[in-house]
Amino acid sequence: MRVLVTGGAGYIGSHTLLELMAQGHDVCVLDNYSNATPEVLNRVRGLSNGNVTDFTGDVRDPAILNRVMQDFRPEAVIHFAGLKAVGESEEKPLLYYDVNVGGTLALLHAMDRVGCKNIIFSSSATVYGEPVYLPYDEAHPTAPMSVYGQSKLMAENILTNWAKATAGTSAVLLRYFNPVGAHHSAKIGEDPKDIPNNLMPFIAQVAVGKRDALTVFGEDYDTPDGTGLRDYIHVVDLARAHVAAINYADKSTGARPFNIGTGQSYSVRDMVAAFERACGSPIKTKQAPRRAGDIAAMQADASRAAAELGWTAEHGLDDMTASTWAWQSANPNGYDN
Ligand code: NAD
Ligand code: UDP
């Protein structure tokens, strides 16, 4: 199938390109490189020996969208392009709504103009908010606690309304839990531009000597060791969920959300210990109060994805930390080597 991948030069997008090409799909990327570098696509091309068509531009721009749609004629779209920093979303709400909601709207308009009927959307477990029960299933109430989460839920609602109103269309809403890890080649991985907001890239930068110590945000949660619990998922498993979703969308109509996680959760302390096993040296930590907006525990019930997409996560915790370490130690400065 011809698959347009918006934000395909990003962390999850780049891994998904490789999995799509491995399954014989033709891919095309639209990215504005606001959080990526074109070097990513060079590496993807090298790893796949495949053809990656790419366009540089903003997903909110109808002119570039029209060009992509007309030149590439996608049969399906995977929509990764967006902004993802929770803290920044509180400071710049209009920017987040503009890119995440406006970008989704512009893309759907462009798809409609050429009759492209299938879309896979990068949503997030953050749409659920404070757990009423755990693990979250897809019927759990949605009450996002940040502008970022609100923007994802708004985009989900737009996609749901579009799929209902537009005959023959399918919108697959993938609610990711916590993506971590890197491709086994160690050629592509997560490369945060500034100080990492997320746990795993921060630990990796401490391990490689770029940062002094990990700040553990809160050790007084109601969890076995007092630190926050999350459902971490290997980015290659997550990438494969998109390939499964493409196949599902081809055979279904309407909109449907799916949790994409492992169904297991680990604490901050578990992650530090696993990383120490992977890199063979201690990770220095320091304590700090809870981070504003954090919740104690998150965990996916991923049984719908197993039953309907035929997808389950295959990589365990040690694969996640070992692949992160392999990528970080081979590329201490990320793609700026
Ligand atoms: P990323 O920042 O690495 O990738 C996003 C890509 O989109 C980047 O290459 C960036 O340059 C591009 N982009 C941003 N704004 C754009 C615009 N206006 N036009 C065109 N391109 C644009 O992030 P990621 O971790 O790969 O996340 C991909 C998607 O998954 C995002 O929508 C994010 O919200 C969602 N998501 C990520 C996580 C996570 O923890 N990484 C969790 C849940 C959901
Ligand atoms: N965390 C931490 N120090 C950091 C970054 C994160 O202790 O520098 C904790 C955070 O409080 C949470 C877990 O690690 O309990 C995962 O945080 P992350 O930001 O990676 O994901 P999210 O909060 O989006 O689930």
PDB file of all heavy atoms in Angstrom, residues 41-59:
ATOM      1  N   LEU A  41      16.218  10.323   7.807  1.00  0.00           N
ATOM      2  CA  LEU A  41      15.750   9.606   6.609  1.00  0.00           C
ATOM      3  C   LEU A  41      16.914   8.983   5.849  1.00  0.00           C
ATOM      4  O   LEU A  41      16.756   7.914   5.235  1.00  0.00           O
ATOM      5  CB  LEU A  41      14.925  10.534   5.706  1.00  0.00           C
ATOM      6  CG  LEU A  41      13.648  11.087   6.347  1.00  0.00           C
ATOM      7  CD1 LEU A  41      12.821  11.853   5.316  1.00  0.00           C
ATOM      8  CD2 LEU A  41      12.791   9.988   6.971  1.00  0.00           C
ATOM      9  N   ASN A  42      18.100   9.608   5.911  1.00  0.00           N
ATOM     10  CA  ASN A  42      19.278   8.970   5.301  1.00  0.00           C
ATOM     11  C   ASN A  42      19.537   7.621   5.961  1.00  0.00           C
ATOM     12  O   ASN A  42      19.831   6.629   5.294  1.00  0.00           O
ATOM     13  CB  ASN A  42      20.533   9.839   5.463  1.00  0.00           C
ATOM     14  CG  ASN A  42      20.416  11.132   4.691  1.00  0.00           C
ATOM     15  OD1 ASN A  42      19.641  11.219   3.742  1.00  0.00           O
ATOM     16  ND2 ASN A  42      21.174  12.141   5.117  1.00  0.00           N
ATOM     17  N   ARG A  43      19.410   7.620   7.291  1.00  0.00           N
ATOM     18  CA  ARG A  43      19.669   6.370   8.010  1.00  0.00           C
ATOM     19  C   ARG A  43      18.590   5.328   7.726  1.00  0.00           C
ATOM     20  O   ARG A  43      18.886   4.149   7.580  1.00  0.00           O
ATOM     21  CB  ARG A  43      19.793   6.650   9.506  1.00  0.00           C
ATOM     22  CG  ARG A  43      20.991   7.550   9.791  1.00  0.00           C
ATOM     23  CD  ARG A  43      21.452   7.416  11.207  1.00  0.00           C
ATOM     24  NE  ARG A  43      22.519   8.380  11.470  1.00  0.00           N
ATOM     25  CZ  ARG A  43      23.154   8.493  12.623  1.00  0.00           C
ATOM     26  NH1 ARG A  43      22.827   7.692  13.631  1.00  0.00           N
ATOM     27  NH2 ARG A  43      24.111   9.384  12.797  1.00  0.00           N
ATOM     28  N   VAL A  44      17.359   5.777   7.637  1.00  0.00           N
ATOM     29  CA  VAL A  44      16.263   4.840   7.316  1.00  0.00           C
ATOM     30  C   VAL A  44      16.500   4.248   5.921  1.00  0.00           C
ATOM     31  O   VAL A  44      16.345   3.036   5.709  1.00  0.00           O
ATOM     32  CB  VAL A  44      14.893   5.556   7.403  1.00  0.00           C
ATOM     33  CG1 VAL A  44      13.785   4.715   6.785  1.00  0.00           C
ATOM     34  CG2 VAL A  44      14.573   5.902   8.854  1.00  0.00           C
ATOM     35  N   ARG A  45      16.922   5.089   4.997  1.00  0.00           N
ATOM     36  CA  ARG A  45      17.186   4.589   3.627  1.00  0.00           C
ATOM     37  C   ARG A  45      18.318   3.578   3.657  1.00  0.00           C
ATOM     38  O   ARG A  45      18.259   2.525   3.012  1.00  0.00           O
ATOM     39  CB  ARG A  45      17.544   5.743   2.688  1.00  0.00           C
ATOM     40  CG  ARG A  45      16.354   6.634   2.363  1.00  0.00           C
ATOM     41  CD  ARG A  45      16.708   7.712   1.323  1.00  0.00           C
ATOM     42  NE  ARG A  45      15.546   8.540   1.046  1.00  0.00           N
ATOM     43  CZ  ARG A  45      15.351   9.775   1.532  1.00  0.00           C
ATOM     44  NH1 ARG A  45      16.253  10.362   2.302  1.00  0.00           N
ATOM     45  NH2 ARG A  45      14.242  10.431   1.242  1.00  0.00           N
ATOM     46  N   GLY A  46      19.357   3.862   4.423  1.00  0.00           N
ATOM     47  CA  GLY A  46      20.491   2.951   4.516  1.00  0.00           C
ATOM     48  C   GLY A  46      20.098   1.611   5.124  1.00  0.00           C
ATOM     49  O   GLY A  46      20.541   0.555   4.664  1.00  0.00           O
ATOM     50  N   LEU A  47      19.255   1.661   6.141  1.00  0.00           N
ATOM     51  CA  LEU A  47      18.870   0.419   6.819  1.00  0.00           C
ATOM     52  C   LEU A  47      17.925  -0.428   5.978  1.00  0.00           C
ATOM     53  O   LEU A  47      17.918  -1.654   6.080  1.00  0.00           O
ATOM     54  CB  LEU A  47      18.173   0.748   8.152  1.00  0.00           C
ATOM     55  CG  LEU A  47      19.086   1.244   9.276  1.00  0.00           C
ATOM     56  CD1 LEU A  47      18.255   1.840  10.414  1.00  0.00           C
ATOM     57  CD2 LEU A  47      19.954   0.099   9.796  1.00  0.00           C
ATOM     58  N   SER A  48      17.117   0.229   5.158  1.00  0.00           N
ATOM     59  CA  SER A  48      16.083  -0.509   4.427  1.00  0.00           C
ATOM     60  C   SER A  48      16.480  -0.799   2.992  1.00  0.00           C
ATOM     61  O   SER A  48      15.853  -1.630   2.343  1.00  0.00           O
ATOM     62  CB  SER A  48      14.803   0.326   4.386  1.00  0.00           C
ATOM     63  OG  SER A  48      15.047   1.503   3.648  1.00  0.00           O
ATOM     64  N   ASN A  49      17.498  -0.088   2.495  1.00  0.00           N
ATOM     65  CA  ASN A  49      17.791  -0.148   1.070  1.00  0.00           C
ATOM     66  C   ASN A  49      16.580   0.206   0.243  1.00  0.00           C
ATOM     67  O   ASN A  49      16.448  -0.231  -0.898  1.00  0.00           O
ATOM     68  CB  ASN A  49      18.276  -1.536   0.653  1.00  0.00           C
ATOM     69  CG  ASN A  49      19.758  -1.669   0.898  1.00  0.00           C
ATOM     70  OD1 ASN A  49      20.486  -0.695   0.687  1.00  0.00           O
ATOM     71  ND2 ASN A  49      20.183  -2.827   1.352  1.00  0.00           N
ATOM     72  N   GLY A  50      15.668   0.951   0.853  1.00  0.00           N
ATOM     73  CA  GLY A  50      14.399   1.211   0.164  1.00  0.00           C
ATOM     74  C   GLY A  50      14.274   2.658  -0.247  1.00  0.00           C
ATOM     75  O   GLY A  50      15.121   3.492   0.054  1.00  0.00           O
ATOM     76  N   ASN A  51      13.181   2.933  -0.905  1.00  0.00           N
ATOM     77  CA  ASN A  51      12.908   4.263  -1.413  1.00  0.00           C
ATOM     78  C   ASN A  51      11.997   4.997  -0.435  1.00  0.00           C
ATOM     79  O   ASN A  51      10.922   4.495  -0.109  1.00  0.00           O
ATOM     80  CB  ASN A  51      12.222   4.103  -2.780  1.00  0.00           C
ATOM     81  CG  ASN A  51      12.087   5.421  -3.479  1.00  0.00           C
ATOM     82  OD1 ASN A  51      12.923   6.300  -3.302  1.00  0.00           O
ATOM     83  ND2 ASN A  51      11.022   5.570  -4.244  1.00  0.00           N
ATOM     84  N   VAL A  52      12.439   6.135   0.063  1.00  0.00           N
ATOM     85  CA  VAL A  52      11.579   6.945   0.926  1.00  0.00           C
ATOM     86  C   VAL A  52      11.387   8.287   0.228  1.00  0.00           C
ATOM     87  O   VAL A  52      12.311   9.098   0.157  1.00  0.00           O
ATOM     88  CB  VAL A  52      12.218   7.185   2.314  1.00  0.00           C
ATOM     89  CG1 VAL A  52      11.280   8.013   3.191  1.00  0.00           C
ATOM     90  CG2 VAL A  52      12.574   5.865   2.985  1.00  0.00           C
ATOM     91  N   THR A  53      10.196   8.488  -0.312  1.00  0.00           N
ATOM     92  CA  THR A  53       9.884   9.792  -0.900  1.00  0.00           C
ATOM     93  C   THR A  53       9.706  10.768   0.255  1.00  0.00           C
ATOM     94  O   THR A  53       9.129  10.393   1.283  1.00  0.00           O
ATOM     95  CB  THR A  53       8.556   9.707  -1.678  1.00  0.00           C
ATOM     96  OG1 THR A  53       8.616   8.567  -2.514  1.00  0.00           O
ATOM     97  CG2 THR A  53       8.296  10.944  -2.499  1.00  0.00           C
ATOM     98  N   ASP A  54      10.207  11.989   0.132  1.00  0.00           N
ATOM     99  CA  ASP A  54       9.951  12.920   1.233  1.00  0.00           C
ATOM    100  C   ASP A  54       9.670  14.328   0.756  1.00  0.00           C
ATOM    101  O   ASP A  54      10.202  14.778  -0.264  1.00  0.00           O
ATOM    102  CB  ASP A  54      11.089  12.891   2.256  1.00  0.00           C
ATOM    103  CG  ASP A  54      12.372  13.525   1.727  1.00  0.00           C
ATOM    104  OD1 ASP A  54      13.005  12.898   0.872  1.00  0.00           O
ATOM    105  OD2 ASP A  54      12.714  14.645   2.156  1.00  0.00           O
ATOM    106  N   PHE A  55       8.797  14.976   1.517  1.00  0.00           N
ATOM    107  CA  PHE A  55       8.429  16.374   1.286  1.00  0.00           C
ATOM    108  C   PHE A  55       8.701  17.135   2.573  1.00  0.00           C
ATOM    109  O   PHE A  55       8.403  16.637   3.657  1.00  0.00           O
ATOM    110  CB  PHE A  55       6.937  16.500   0.963  1.00  0.00           C
ATOM    111  CG  PHE A  55       6.552  15.920  -0.372  1.00  0.00           C
ATOM    112  CD1 PHE A  55       6.314  14.555  -0.508  1.00  0.00           C
ATOM    113  CD2 PHE A  55       6.407  16.747  -1.484  1.00  0.00           C
ATOM    114  CE1 PHE A  55       5.956  14.031  -1.736  1.00  0.00           C
ATOM    115  CE2 PHE A  55       6.046  16.219  -2.716  1.00  0.00           C
ATOM    116  CZ  PHE A  55       5.821  14.853  -2.842  1.00  0.00           C
ATOM    117  N   THR A  56       9.268  18.341   2.430  1.00  0.00           N
ATOM    118  CA  THR A  56       9.493  19.187   3.597  1.00  0.00           C
ATOM    119  C   THR A  56       8.376  20.212   3.656  1.00  0.00           C
ATOM    120  O   THR A  56       8.159  20.950   2.682  1.00  0.00           O
ATOM    121  CB  THR A  56      10.855  19.902   3.488  1.00  0.00           C
ATOM    122  OG1 THR A  56      11.871  18.909   3.400  1.00  0.00           O
ATOM    123  CG2 THR A  56      11.106  20.785   4.711  1.00  0.00           C
ATOM    124  N   GLY A  57       7.654  20.233   4.769  1.00  0.00           N
ATOM    125  CA  GLY A  57       6.584  21.215   4.896  1.00  0.00           C
ATOM    126  C   GLY A  57       5.758  20.967   6.129  1.00  0.00           C
ATOM    127  O   GLY A  57       5.952  19.969   6.837  1.00  0.00           O
ATOM    128  N   ASP A  58       4.840  21.888   6.342  1.00  0.00           N
ATOM    129  CA  ASP A  58       4.021  21.866   7.552  1.00  0.00           C
ATOM    130  C   ASP A  58       2.694  21.172   7.267  1.00  0.00           C
ATOM    131  O   ASP A  58       2.050  21.461   6.246  1.00  0.00           O
ATOM    132  CB  ASP A  58       3.782  23.319   8.019  1.00  0.00           C
ATOM    133  CG  ASP A  58       3.276  23.377   9.445  1.00  0.00           C
ATOM    134  OD1 ASP A  58       2.182  22.841   9.734  1.00  0.00           O
ATOM    135  OD2 ASP A  58       4.003  23.947  10.273  1.00  0.00           O
ATOM    136  N   VAL A  59       2.283  20.324   8.181  1.00  0.00           N
ATOM    137  CA  VAL A  59       1.047  19.561   7.979  1.00  0.00           C
ATOM    138  C   VAL A  59      -0.191  20.468   8.017  1.00  0.00           C
ATOM    139  O   VAL A  59      -1.284  20.045   7.627  1.00  0.00           O
ATOM    140  CB  VAL A  59       0.961  18.408   9.013  1.00  0.00           C
ATOM    141  CG1 VAL A  59       0.660  18.950  10.406  1.00  0.00           C
ATOM    142  CG2 VAL A  59      -0.030  17.349   8.594  1.00  0.00           C
TER     143      VAL A  59
END
